[in-house]
Amino acid sequence: MSRELSLAEIFQLGYYWETKILLTAVKLDIFSALDGKPKTAKEAADRIAAHEPTLCLLLNALVAMRLLMKEGNVYGNSSTAEKHLVRQSPQYIGHLLQLHHAEWNNWGKLEDTIRTGQRSVDRHVFETNPELGSNVLAVLHRIGQQSGPDFAKRLKLMGPGRMLDLGGGAGTNAIAFCQVYPELTATVFDLPATLSLTEKTVKDAGLESRIALVPGDFNRDTLGGPYDVVLMSDILHYQTFDTNAALVSKVFTHLVPGGRLVIKDRFLDEAGTGPAWTTAFAVHILVNTQQGSCYRTSDAIQWMTKAGFTSVAELEKTAAVQGVKSREA
Ligand SMILES: C[S@@+](CC[C@H](N)C(=O)[O-])C[C@H]1O[C@@H](n2cnc3c(N)ncnc32)[C@H](O)[C@@H]1O
């Protein structure tokens, strides 16, 4: 049993001012305006077309938050802000923060959603703003490159084979798997708008000859194959239970006998109260998608068993489930 929160911690949880200050600063691109050489509030205001005295309040708060530094009347970026919050930096992560900013108004409707059970959005931000979606995937790709190879190694694939990375996004997993398993070839199947980013990441990794890109809607179109292994990573929490069940059954038909499906997602535990990050993510999905949900590993096991998979098991607690298509199937 974890310890109870103190009153101070409860206050801290309810305190979102600094969050909104940071997101607004990123949206206004203040850090890029201060790039390179420190500037006065007037110079920064001119650069981002803002009202100087008002901007000054925000800049001072950012100094107190240790994102900016102030000497005399000039402001400059901290080294972390310069590295990650200046748009021209190769390590810019601001797109992810811009996504949070874009979802801000949806969170304001949480109370109504809880009262009525009705969702307040009809489309995810990725659909209404595909450019932001693609930029966010690029940031996630950069971050995911660190963990991808370890996950690939834990799956212990053998010999040559064909992998399908369904809804593979920037191709982070397909690239990691091909790097770990030199005899593997992969297909990244995703919506056409996403694949222009994937084309670049695959080229940057020098894997064009081993990774094919197939555009399509995985709920409607044929998936090609047959494949030895199919990975569904972080795609099912955007869809309904029944759509996921149908997709898992469809994938079954695109696997060779003996092939396997791995579902990697943010699953809740059976009580629904952990992992802590995922419980909040489940509310995020409620507020920001029309029909998504965070599922339990038991749901994924149910989809796979119903589809005909055998040896269905949780590979990693609340993170990955695997099923095998029997050689007799
Ligand atoms: C959160 S991203 C996950 C990307 C990748 N699998 C990963 O783990 O890094 C979800 C991906 O699913 C894709 N997607 C969503 N709906 C789709 C559909 N109906 N058909 C194909 N791809 C879809 C999106 O374009 C996006 O690339």
Side-chain angles (χ1 to χ4, degrees):
M1 174 82 183
S2 52
R3 74 171 175 84
E4 275 193 36
L5 282 188
S6 67
L7 180 58
E9 286 167 322
I10 293 174
F11 276 128
Q12 191 60 38
L13 274 181
Y15 172 70
Y16 57 81
W17 303 341
E18 289 181 340
T19 304
K20 187 58 172 160
I21 289 168
L22 169 63
L23 299 185
T24 304
V26 170
K27 185 75 205 308
L28 289 169
D29 211 10
I30 286 174
F31 303 99
S32 303
L34 297 176
D35 182 21
K37 184 171 157 283
K39 296 179 181 66
T40 63
K42 166 91 178 67
E43 288 168 328
D46 287 347
R47 280 199 154 195
I48 62 169
H51 178 246
E52 183 206 331
T54 321
L55 176 63
C56 225
L57 291 176
L58 201 73
L59 295 177
N60 287 338
L62 291 165
V63 173
M65 289 160 63
R66 291 174 293 152
L67 286 159
L68 298 183
M69 292 178 303
K70 185 178 185 183
E71 269 183 40
N73 66 347
V74 295
Y75 297 87
N77 289 321
S78 70
S79 57
T80 311
E82 188 79 14
K83 187 164 159 193
H84 296 294
L85 298 175
V86 171
R87 208 176 262 271
Q88 295 74 22
S89 164
Q91 298 185 67
Y92 180 68
I93 56 89
H95 298 300
L96 204 48
L97 300 177
Q98 284 181 45
L99 175 66
H100 300 323
H101 189 270
E103 292 169 340
W104 183 265
N105 289 342
N106 295 342
W107 280 97
K109 297 173 191 150
L110 176 60
E111 180 187 342
D112 279 350
T113 298
I114 301 293
R115 283 189 195 284
T116 63
Q118 303 298 314
R119 307 278 181 121
S120 58
V121 301
D122 52 12
R123 286 190 303 160
H124 189 254
V125 172
F126 279 18
E127 291 169 83
T128 52
N129 188 345
E131 189 188 343
L132 177 59
S134 173
N135 286 333
V136 168
L137 280 179
V139 172
L140 293 177
H141 173 66
R142 241 185 293 130
I143 298 170
Q145 274 176 312
Q146 277 134 44
S147 56
D150 280 347
F151 178 66
K153 281 179 203 153
R154 288 199 295 277
L155 287 191
K156 296 194 173 51
L157 302 186
M158 303 288 200
R162 291 183 67 189
M163 171 198 189
L164 170 64
D165 189 2
L166 195 59
T172 318
N173 287 303
I175 291 170
F177 274 70
C178 283
Q179 285 168 340
V180 168
Y181 300 105
E183 294 179 287
L184 191 72
T185 56
T187 296
V188 178
F189 185 103
D190 208 299
L191 299 170
T194 308
L195 289 183
S196 42
L197 167 67
T198 324
E199 200 175 342
K200 184 174 176 313
T201 56
V202 169
K203 189 160 181 256
D204 288 349
L207 286 166
E208 304 102 302
S209 62
R210 289 172 56 207
I211 300 183
L213 309 185
V214 175
D217 177 334
F218 50 49
N219 292 317
R220 295 198 181 147
D221 301 322
T222 178
L223 309 177
Y227 301 98
D228 299 283
V229 56
V230 176
L231 176 66
M232 296 162 104
S233 167
D234 278 338
I235 57 175
L236 299 184
H237 53 250
Y238 295 108
Q239 309 204 114
T240 65
F241 185 97
D242 290 343
T243 308
N244 288 340
L247 186 57
V248 168
S249 291
K250 180 175 180 176
V251 163
F252 185 82
T253 65
H254 288 75
L255 275 166
V256 297
R260 56 172 144 161
L261 166 62
V262 177
I263 301 180
K264 183 171 173 285
D265 218 292
R266 323 290 168 141
F267 295 113
L268 288 164
D269 62 19
E270 288 308 308
T273 56
W277 184 89
T278 310
T279 63
F281 183 64
V283 182
H284 156 83
I285 288 289
L286 171 77
V287 160
N288 290 296
T289 71
Q290 186 192 17
Q291 52 187 12
S293 233
C294 275
Y295 298 97
R296 290 166 171 69
T297 41
S298 57
D299 295 321
I301 289 171
Q302 192 180 328
W303 299 324
M304 285 198 195
T305 311
K306 229 175 146 195
F309 286 95
T310 52
S311 313
V312 180
E314 189 174 33
L315 274 188
E316 293 181 5
K317 202 166 162 40
T318 65
V321 179
Q322 175 180 274
V324 177
K325 178 169 177 175
S326 142
R327 290 192 188 278
E328 284 78 54

